[in-house]
Amino acid sequence: MDASRVRGPERSAATVVLALAGQPNVGKSTVFNLLTGLSQHVGNWPGKTVERKEGRLLRDGTQVRIVDLPGTYGLSAHSTEERIARDFLIRERPDVVMMIADASALERNLYLLAELLILPVPVVLGLNMMDVAHAQGLEIEPHVLEAALGLPVVPLVASKNQGVAELLAAAQALAREPASFRPNRPEIAEPHREVLVRVRALLAGRIPEPFTEDWLAVKLLEGDAEVTVHVRNWLPDEDWAAVHEVLRAHEDAVLDIASGRYEWIARMVRAAVTQPRLGRITLTDRLDRVAAHPWWGLLLLFAVFGAVFWLTFTLAAPLQQWLDTRVIERLQAVLATVLGEAPSWLVHLLADGVLGGAGLVATFVPVLAVFFAALAVLEDTGYLARAAFVMDRFMHGLGLHGKSFLPLFLGFGCNVPAVMGARVIGSRSGRLLTILLAPLVPCSARLVVLALIAAALFGERAALVSWAFIGLNLLVLALVGVVLNRTLFRGEQAAFIMELPLFHAPNLRSIAQFVWNNIWAFLRKAGTVILLVSVVIWALSNFPGPGIEHSYLARFGRSLAPFGEIMGLDWRMLEALLSSFIAKETAIATLGILYQAPGADEGFMEVMAASVSPASALAFLTVTMLFIPCVATVAVM
Amino acid sequence: MGTAWSTQLGHEMDGGQMSGQELISLEEVAAGKRGVVRHLGGGPDFAARLAAMGLAVGTPVEVLQNRGHGPVLVLVRGTRIALGRGEALKIMVESLDDGR
């Protein structure tokens, strides 16, 4: 990634690099979306499975690059996200860090600021959710806080696009005059002040650029595992022994450092914040009586779950069928007339291969849009954390805890982020187990195949069949989890520490962005991999001919027939299964091509219904749902 | 602790049995009861994680849900945090209410 090398002299003078930092659930991505709009580039941090978002904008003739750091509570070494964030700040030295804080939980948010201020980067503070804080009776005076902290403080209501332009202006102003940055920095608590001086003296002149003695000394006292290893490697043995002795005598320093930071925070906010009287019952309190209740919460979870699927299939499925019969089939007819002069193989390639294969897959956009929107709403309102909380008890039976529920739930969208999301699990065994179980969650691509085949073959009972398969998948997931927990992954439970964010109204812009990112990824897949496979399948099924029955694909399929018979599948379905390893939706493209009535106006659903028995459809679905994860999932595992 | 919220607890501490009271783990604190964190076991990594989420030595906590099994839900500096029972066991608090 080019961004990892842009530093110092190589950076063009006209480009300003701003990093966006903040704790989780503070509306940071809303700010990022407002600043960068559609100019964002989503990738991964080098060598990591953590999403890296970056965007560019031009303001007052200056090129501004904005790097969205992972949301982190602090900057310790315990999670990949925190290590990524601090590595970026130390090694890349952005011109300014824009830290977004939740004004309604200001003290906790300023802990991250306390950590940022011991790094050599200028910071501007954006106080987001000022409206939420106000609704809770909190009165915050940004300019008083600004005076106390000695750094620019900008009030924001990002959900209403208030203050974001001012935040950017403040960051740019600071970037022009970095020397003007003289904040009030937190000092280490009294009992350890002298120790810090001693550690710093022992490090002086022995540490490589771009690290600073100040930061390393504090992190050593905090017992930071990564920094400890680094410093041990940098120092000669006898010097390390001296440092180590000091650290051993102050093993509890981490507790004092943390308390000291909160004392500093209390001093900073004292004049700027007026707290409400105790005893207010907030919306979150009321909703949590149900959502976080052990039994009501569970019932609610099932209801929410059912509603999401109901919504997806009642709202979007008819739209999908309309696209299939009205748009795709009409386009096929149009193609035939327009290209009447062209060689017939070309017409067939475009009509049957491209439109009948990849085109059919693309008709599922409405289904995915509704599903991803529902997922985004659940996440954005803060509900998913409650779901994880009430599921914690049950996850223990699988040797996991509530946090593993989140990546597994994401797996209903796509198994790839589910596997990647498993990194939030602290312990190695918990992480591995979550990764192993994730492909058993029926992803949207498999649900699409399920919906299509169930609708084609089981008519009225399609919904029942679909639910039965989803239930089967979850049952198998639970059984595999219990068995693995009792055998391979015994012992070692990870710490379960999770914030339940305040409930709040979902932000439409963030949801639209999430849906768009996922739909775009899906369309890219349909336009590349699935298109390619469709064309290859079409070619193999049409040559040397005549007809599919005498094609290369049929020959290959028949050679596999003995395997197919075991499962009760004919060669077409077997090939659909094989092609689904590339991407689950490809199974639809393959079936769409292979079950095409020659020349007739019948849709492929009728053709399939006529030539496939319900039993073999069930066998096909069982294999699709349970056994083969797609190549993308296997790649991230 | 400087906010009105925590100061109010602070007054109760001054008026109540501030010192000499034995510490109990957060796991034993019933729902609706409050306490002040006095010690964190479990090593520097655990302490750093909790601190970044708002829970450090000296922080007032209120237990919102504790049913004797399943995770414990606490309110810390206005933030709701779910803790496994094993984690709650490592957090030692001084109770601010009589009994448990």
Side-chain angles (χ1 to χ4, degrees), chain B residues 51-70:
Chain B
M53 295 182 81
L55 200 151
V57 170
T59 306
V61 287
E62 181 184 341
V63 176
L64 296 178
Q65 196 186 110
N66 184 359
R67 290 173 188 265
H69 54 88

Side-chain angles (χ1 to χ4, degrees), chain A residues 514-526:
Chain A
F514 179 80
V515 172
W516 168 247
N517 285 348
N518 279 288
I519 294 292
W520 181 233
F522 171 77
L523 285 174
R524 265 202 320 253
K525 195 160 65 165

Side-chain angles (χ1 to χ4, degrees), chain A residues 124-152:
Chain A
V124 297
L125 180 64
L127 285 186
N128 194 19
M129 308 200 200
M130 290 295 284
D131 53 342
V132 178
H134 184 76
Q136 289 180 1
L138 271 169
E139 292 308 326
I140 302 172
E141 291 177 82
H143 62 278
V144 179
L145 188 61
E146 178 167 303
L149 289 168
L151 53 85

